[in-house]
Amino acid sequence: VQLQASGGGLVQAGGSLRLSCTASGRTFNGLTMGWFRQRPGKEREFVAAIAWTGRAKHYADSLRGRFIISRDNAKNTVYLQMNNLEPEDTAVYYCAAGQSWGSSSSEYEYWGQGTLVTVSS
């Protein structure tokens, strides 16, 4: 599976961005999709995950309510809507795909290249 993330950029605090990640190379269905991020000087951390049906979603506690994950299986695409962004959200955001369900990066077999989100104060 190849994953291509897009949608990053520069935004002011309080603004919104929507990230997209499109998969190719094999069927999208059946895969759990996740978003992770790596902030400057920090380790990669879990952001959100969505089951292949779209019914089950899981968020990092600190991001619940501001970030929304969704997917369109017909387009092989997963989205991350980020609202009320804060400078602390500045990071490289990665999408990932896997056959299991979880918030650990080790549970995801496939990774995109990352897209940079910069939030200015």
Side-chain angles (χ1 to χ4, degrees):
V1 177
Q2 290 79 46
L3 301 175
Q4 181 70 42
S6 62
L10 175 64
V11 63
Q12 288 188 330
S16 299
L17 276 178
R18 187 177 80 156
L19 306 182
S20 301
C21 176
T22 300
S24 61
R26 61 152 281 180
T27 180
F28 190 62
N29 290 347
L31 293 176
T32 294
M33 299 300 296
W35 286 98
F36 291 76
R37 69 183 185 183
Q38 187 162 16
R39 293 184 282 178
K42 299 191 181 252
E43 296 185 352
R44 190 174 299 186
E45 61 183 347
F46 172 75
V47 173
I50 185 168
W52 75 273
T53 61
R55 293 175 189 162
K57 300 177 184 180
H58 179 46
Y59 295 94
D61 289 342
S62 62
L63 301 176
R64 193 185 308 274
R66 292 195 299 123
F67 288 16
I68 301 170
I69 190 170
S70 62
R71 67 191 291 165
D72 184 340
N73 288 343
K75 296 181 179 180
N76 286 358
T77 300
V78 62
Y79 303 97
L80 183 69
Q81 177 68 41
M82 306 185 294
N83 300 318
N84 194 20
L85 284 161
E86 304 169 352
E88 294 72 28
D89 295 317
T90 295
V92 177
Y93 285 74
Y94 298 90
C95 63
Q99 299 190 39
S100 57
W101 174 256
S103 59
S104 171
S105 59
S106 62
E107 294 172 290
Y108 294 81
E109 295 90 39
Y110 310 103
W111 290 83
Q113 85 287 2
T115 185
L116 176 63
V117 172
T118 303
V119 184
S120 63
S121 58

